Amino acid sequence: IVAHHFPKIPIIISHLAWPFVDNLIAVALEFENIFADMSGMLDSFKTKHTMPQCIEGLKRYLGECGPARLLFGTDFLFVQKD
């Protein structure tokens, strides 16, 4: 894994690795140079079924890895579905 070979380089995983949040947490706990951003996690494309899953994933990541390892980010405009 790149994080192991380059421990001084911060590595940012986009979109909280959705839908692989639990895998991200495991890797982030093993390597201190792994960070995540939450871009695209809470957007208008989530359904009433996936939004709660995204929120729970975000809570799990924060609880396990802490807020210092989470970056706020966005990479597209909010779009409302009709």
Side-chain angles (χ1 to χ4, degrees), residues 43-77:
D43 61 42
S44 60
F45 290 104
K46 299 294 186 284
T47 67
K48 65 181 180 179
H49 302 290
T50 57
M51 183 61 82
Q53 294 170 341
C54 289
I55 292 169
E56 284 306 311
L58 180 58
K59 287 179 180 179
R60 279 196 315 277
Y61 182 85
L62 284 171
E64 295 280 337
C65 303
R69 301 204 30 215
L70 180 68
L71 300 131
F72 171 79
T74 184
D75 55 1
F76 61 92
L77 299 174

Side-chain angles (χ1 to χ4, degrees), residues 6-74:
F6 301 96
K8 295 187 182 207
I9 296 176
I11 298 169
I12 302 168
I13 308 299
S14 297
H15 313 292
L16 215 63
W18 183 258
F20 306 104
V21 178
D22 292 328
N23 298 76
L24 170 63
I25 291 169
V27 172
L29 291 174
E30 186 174 350
F31 300 100
E32 292 183 7
N33 58 331
I34 297 284
F35 297 82
D37 82 7
M38 58 180 283
S39 63
M41 288 297 295
L42 306 174
D43 61 42
S44 60
F45 290 104
K46 299 294 186 284
T47 67
K48 65 181 180 179
H49 302 290
T50 57
M51 183 61 82
Q53 294 170 341
C54 289
I55 292 169
E56 284 306 311
L58 180 58
K59 287 179 180 179
R60 279 196 315 277
Y61 182 85
L62 284 171
E64 295 280 337
C65 303
R69 301 204 30 215
L70 180 68
L71 300 131
F72 171 79
T74 184

